[in-house]
Amino acid sequence: MGDEATAFVPGHITGFFSAHPDDDPTKAGSRGAGVTLTDGVEVAVERVPEGTESTVVLDGEETDIEPVSTVLETLGVSARVEASSELPLGAGFGVSGATALGTALAANRVFDRKLSFNELVTVAHGAEVQAGTGLGDVVAQARGGVPIRLEPGCPQVNKLDAIPARARVEYVTFGELSTSEVLSGDTQRLTDVGTEALSKLVEEPTLLSFMYASRAFARETGLLTEQVARTIGDVTDANGQASMAMLGNTVFALGTGLSDAGYDPDVCATHPAGAMLK
Amino acid sequence: MGDEATAFVPGHITGFFSAHPDDDPTKAGSRGAGVTLTDGVEVAVERVPEGTESTVVLDGEETDIEPVSTVLETLGVSARVEASSELPLGAGFGVSGATALGTALAANRVFDRKLSFNELVTVAHGAEVQAGTGLGDVVAQARGGVPIRLEPGCPQVNKLDAIPARARVEYVTFGELSTSEVLSGDTQRLTDVGTEALSKLVEEPTLLSFMYASRAFARETGLLTEQVARTIGDVTDANGQASMAMLGNTVFALGTGLSDAGYDPDVCATHPAGAMLK
């Protein structure tokens, strides 16, 4: 308990996905697969005097992250949330989901809400889906590793597996791409291609299959931006494995893929654990 | 790939449980709750020439751990397995389950078996249940943290939640207690008391509730040994929280419970991540 608690939530890059809307935000979500990252978001939640409004600060700047406000409202608390992210917002790293989930974990502790881990994940997942900022990041970030989302939704209804592997991960970002814009458009094509990618990965759950499936998904859905396509090509030419972060103007590679291709990437690794209190 | 791979699997102390036998060992298991530990088992698997028999070495001594042999047979491989454990075998830390799960993860990598994480957990869980050495350690060790086993069995059928907390954990061991002897006896009383403990914990999934439920379980099942009961009493007198490891002649405490009571315990902490390749 006490007046402050801090949680760490790993970043998450989705390689491919299919969207599964539902009127109930805890049942809506996505199937797909991705990598959780040692680069992530640290979220400190501090009790504020009753009657005071909640504030959210990201990397020193007061801001509004809709799923974070929703999490605080759902838990019925007023707090100061201070998040510091090693990853950019809006570039396909699940920063909004991480901040929402970290807020849920830390607020549960500060305000002694006595919710279970799954219940907190459900609160954050539902908030993220309602805000339209993500469909699968929260449940992946709750698990850690290299999660495969076999069935969509919160932990009460979903089904997760994982690729039993670790890897160094490199990434470069060329700017933002609006998740909510893509997700609010026609997602049927995405879903058909994503479902195909998932069935291939389930047949052979290895990192190499994941990268193949992700590249096929990026190509066939037409989501590739020009700069992302060129960078992935450069990594392929250097015998590396890279693909596009869904959804961000970002390329990620395994091992030294981007370095070998002459880029100056950020470097991290897959994160063995899911979201945790510090 | 390569000729050798190493996995780390956290130890696991069960606080209370109910047994759920089934003819299918992947469906059999236990409900209950426990703490995974930063003290655990490191398992190195090395390829041996075809036709050579598998060997298992634990802390420098060649030994026979039935679930480990079963895992190697299930994966269809011959290997040298070298395990080093920070925890004693047969004292309620899930060392056999950890060794089986570590073997599955590392062998999958060395022999490029392309199984998923859940499939490897299923192989190790089934092997452990068949050997009668444990019912719930493997699935808890695969998850990490402070797992609540809501439904028994392998990941395809079980249901897990967790207490969203971390803690320092202290423990002292007074010798062995045979898991298979207790589990092969009449488990109806255990199961009634364990089910009651679980429903209390689910109502309030906190570490304190877990310790209360665990102590009630140890008392009401009659599993408490004299020395364990005395030690738990000493910790209570020093205003600490302790209970008995199921199944071992071992007392574990949160925070500095055992130290405060004048014992010289081993010290570790809850392990945020589940089993992982190194």
Side-chain angles (χ1 to χ4, degrees):
Chain A
M1 273 123 288
D3 280 344
E4 191 175 335
T6 304
F8 173 79
V9 185
H12 178 247
I13 293 176
T14 288
F16 64 84
F17 70 99
S18 60
H20 299 271
D22 193 293
D23 287 341
D24 179 347
T26 68
K27 290 187 180 145
S30 59
R31 296 192 177 91
V35 284
T36 64
L37 304 177
T38 50
D39 280 359
V41 183
E42 194 168 295
V43 186
V45 170
E46 193 185 354
R47 190 188 282 273
V48 294
E50 263 183 69
T52 316
E53 275 204 26
S54 293
T55 50
V56 180
V57 175
L58 177 64
D59 293 328
E61 280 190 35
E62 200 170 320
T63 179
D64 186 35
I65 305 180
E66 191 185 328
V68 173
S69 315
T70 309
V71 165
L72 293 174
E73 280 160 29
T74 308
L75 297 179
V77 302
S78 294
R80 176 180 166 84
V81 176
E82 200 157 336
S84 70
S85 176
E86 295 162 296
L87 299 160
L89 189 69
F93 295 100
V95 171
S96 63
T99 311
L101 181 53
T103 300
L105 279 164
N108 180 65
R109 188 179 175 82
V110 171
F111 297 93
D112 199 17
R113 277 293 176 266
K114 298 186 166 72
L115 297 185
S116 77
F117 188 82
N118 286 357
E119 287 166 340
L120 295 169
V121 176
T122 300
V123 167
H125 171 77
E128 170 95 326
V129 169
Q130 266 186 298
T133 46
L135 288 172
D137 287 325
V138 169
V139 298
Q141 288 162 331
R143 192 200 178 286
V146 188
I148 307 175
R149 284 166 281 133
L150 297 170
E151 296 294 342
C154 74
Q156 270 74 24
V157 299
N158 74 8
K159 214 177 147 199
L160 300 179
D161 198 346
I163 299 170
R166 294 175 77 154
R168 172 187 158 112
V169 179
E170 297 187 342
Y171 59 90
V172 289
T173 294
F174 306 112
E176 296 197 13
L177 202 115
S178 167
T179 299
S180 50
E181 213 163 277
V182 175
L183 294 183
S184 63
D186 176 18
T187 56
Q188 190 52 51
R189 172 82 186 144
L190 283 182
T191 293
D192 292 346
V193 179
T195 304
E196 173 70 18
L198 183 59
S199 78
K200 286 206 172 129
L201 180 63
V202 167
E203 262 174 51
E204 190 177 298
T206 64
L207 286 175
L208 201 58
S209 299
F210 166 67
M211 296 305 288
Y212 283 148
S214 298
R215 265 205 307 279
F217 178 84
R219 205 169 46 230
E220 290 166 29
T221 52
L223 285 168
L224 280 178
T225 62
E226 207 177 305
Q227 193 155 24
V228 163
R230 196 163 52 230
T231 305
I232 292 173
D234 291 341
V235 175
T236 305
D237 290 345
N239 296 314
Q241 295 293 335
S243 194
M244 177 179 168
M246 298 296 161
L247 296 157
N249 208 345
T250 295
V251 175
F252 71 103
L254 300 184
T256 53
L258 281 158
S259 310
D260 291 348
Y263 288 83
D264 181 25
D266 282 291
V267 177
C268 61
T270 54
H271 192 260
M276 58 175 97
L277 285 165
K278 297 208 78 168
Chain B
M1 275 125 286
D3 279 343
E4 192 176 335
T6 303
F8 173 79
V9 185
H12 178 247
I13 293 176
T14 287
F16 64 84
F17 70 100
S18 59
H20 298 272
D22 194 293
D23 288 341
D24 179 345
T26 67
K27 290 186 181 147
S30 58
R31 296 192 177 90
V35 282
T36 64
L37 304 176
T38 49
D39 280 359
V41 183
E42 193 167 295
V43 186
V45 170
E46 194 185 353
R47 190 187 282 273
V48 294
E50 263 185 68
T52 316
E53 275 204 27
S54 293
T55 51
V56 180
V57 175
L58 177 64
D59 293 329
E61 281 189 36
E62 200 168 319
T63 181
D64 186 35
I65 304 180
E66 191 186 325
V68 173
S69 316
T70 308
V71 165
L72 294 174
E73 280 160 29
T74 308
L75 297 180
V77 302
S78 294
R80 177 181 165 81
V81 176
E82 201 159 335
S84 69
S85 176
E86 294 163 297
L87 299 160
L89 191 68
F93 295 102
V95 171
S96 62
T99 312
L101 181 53
T103 300
L105 279 165
N108 180 64
R109 189 180 174 83
V110 171
F111 296 95
D112 199 17
R113 276 291 174 270
K114 298 187 166 73
L115 296 185
S116 77
F117 188 82
N118 285 357
E119 287 166 339
L120 295 168
V121 176
T122 299
V123 167
H125 171 77
E128 170 96 327
V129 169
Q130 266 185 297
T133 46
L135 288 172
D137 287 326
V138 169
V139 298
Q141 289 162 329
R143 191 200 180 286
V146 188
I148 306 174
R149 284 165 281 132
L150 296 170
E151 295 294 342
C154 74
Q156 270 74 25
V157 298
N158 73 7
K159 213 177 148 197
L160 301 179
D161 198 345
I163 298 171
R166 296 176 76 153
R168 170 186 159 112
V169 179
E170 297 188 341
Y171 59 89
V172 288
T173 294
F174 307 112
E176 295 198 10
L177 202 116
S178 168
T179 299
S180 48
E181 215 162 273
V182 175
L183 294 184
S184 62
D186 175 17
T187 55
Q188 189 54 52
R189 173 81 186 142
L190 284 183
T191 294
D192 292 345
V193 180
T195 304
E196 174 68 17
L198 183 59
S199 77
K200 285 206 175 131
L201 181 63
V202 167
E203 260 174 52
E204 191 176 299
T206 64
L207 286 175
L208 201 59
S209 300
F210 166 67
M211 296 306 287
Y212 284 148
S214 298
R215 265 205 307 280
F217 177 83
R219 208 169 44 231
E220 291 166 26
T221 52
L223 285 168
L224 280 178
T225 62
E226 209 177 302
Q227 192 153 26
V228 162
R230 200 165 46 233
T231 305
I232 293 173
D234 290 342
V235 175
T236 305
D237 290 346
N239 295 313
Q241 295 294 335
S243 195
M244 176 181 169
M246 298 295 162
L247 293 160
N249 210 344
T250 296
V251 175
F252 71 102
L254 300 184
T256 53
L258 281 159
S259 310
D260 291 347
Y263 289 83
D264 181 25
D266 283 291
V267 178
C268 61
T270 54
H271 193 258
M276 58 176 98
L277 285 166
K278 296 205 80 168

